[in-house]
Amino acid sequence: MKILFQGDSITDAGRDKRNYHDLGAGYPKFAAQHIREAFPDTDIEFINFGISGNRTDQLFDRLYPDAIAFDPDIISILIGINDVWHRHGSANIATTDAQVETNYRAILERLKKETNAKIVMLAPFLLDDEAKESWRGEVDRVIAIVRKLADEFADVYIPLDELFAEALKTQPEPKFYSADGVHPNDNGRAFIGKIYADAVKTLIIHS
């Protein structure tokens, strides 16, 4: 079985890009640990092709060499926060909501057409950070797009923004999972990894 992780810096998490089996320090590492423990007798190959800074259009551009060519059994995608972030950065790359939906739909259509992979879609999220409070409405709109597409294309949808919001109610301080509201620390990475592993277990069992 082949499980492939796709996305931006949250998936990349400092992986060695010379070795796609290197999972980096992020949630793929934690997810793989849980999955290996749950399925010790199953031969599972884990691949990470997350690239820091990627938007939906960039993921589409590299979709064949970094996903389709590997013919994964399960592919997970966490993308979209940079489509918002880059609207506010010095480069001022304005990916509109409509473009995000078009790009993401094109990704999913290709995966459905050119692979037999089960698709896991993770919603982008924005945690507590004063500098990014003004992004909330934009992130919510992107999350709504992802949810709509997940209803159409995904085998599993993971609403990370909602799950983090609920979990933070019982944590000691608002930055427990992330210092900047976007990039999870080890607490956040472990949180996503456990949720991911639990969500894909049924896909592995029925594969």
Side-chain angles (χ1 to χ4, degrees), residues 173-184:
E173 52 95 18
K175 293 190 180 292
F176 182 79
Y177 292 116
S178 172
D180 69 356
V182 170
H183 299 95

Side-chain angles (χ1 to χ4, degrees), residues 28-45:
K29 178 187 76 170
F30 291 93
Q33 289 171 351
H34 288 298
I35 292 170
R36 287 188 179 112
E37 290 169 3
F39 300 94
D41 299 321
T42 302
D43 183 17
I44 303 177
E45 178 184 7

Side-chain angles (χ1 to χ4, degrees), residues 53-111:
N54 261 198
R55 302 180 307 274
T56 52
D57 60 323
Q58 293 168 308
L59 176 53
F60 176 80
D61 288 344
R62 62 185 180 85
L63 191 63
Y64 183 83
D66 289 356
I68 294 169
F70 283 80
D71 193 25
D73 298 287
I74 298 172
I75 181 167
S76 64
I77 305 172
L78 173 50
I79 198 80
I81 193 63
N82 286 315
D83 292 88
V84 174
W85 191 319
H86 291 179
R87 298 172 187 172
H88 301 272
S90 58
N92 193 26
I93 301 169
T95 307
T96 66
D97 291 348
Q99 287 170 327
V100 171
E101 181 169 354
T102 296
N103 296 338
Y104 212 145
R105 178 175 292 278
I107 289 166
L108 295 166
E109 287 175 344
R110 285 199 68 186
L111 290 175

Side-chain angles (χ1 to χ4, degrees), residues 9-10 85 125-133 135 174-175 177-185:
S9 59
I10 301 167
W85 191 319
F125 56 88
L126 181 64
L127 306 185
D128 186 76
D129 184 63
E130 288 185 9
K132 301 180 184 70
E133 285 181 0
W135 300 10
K175 293 190 180 292
Y177 292 116
S178 172
D180 69 356
V182 170
H183 299 95
N185 56 25

Side-chain angles (χ1 to χ4, degrees), residues 164-175:
F164 269 124
E166 186 62 29
L168 277 167
K169 294 177 182 177
T170 59
Q171 298 306 337
E173 52 95 18
K175 293 190 180 292

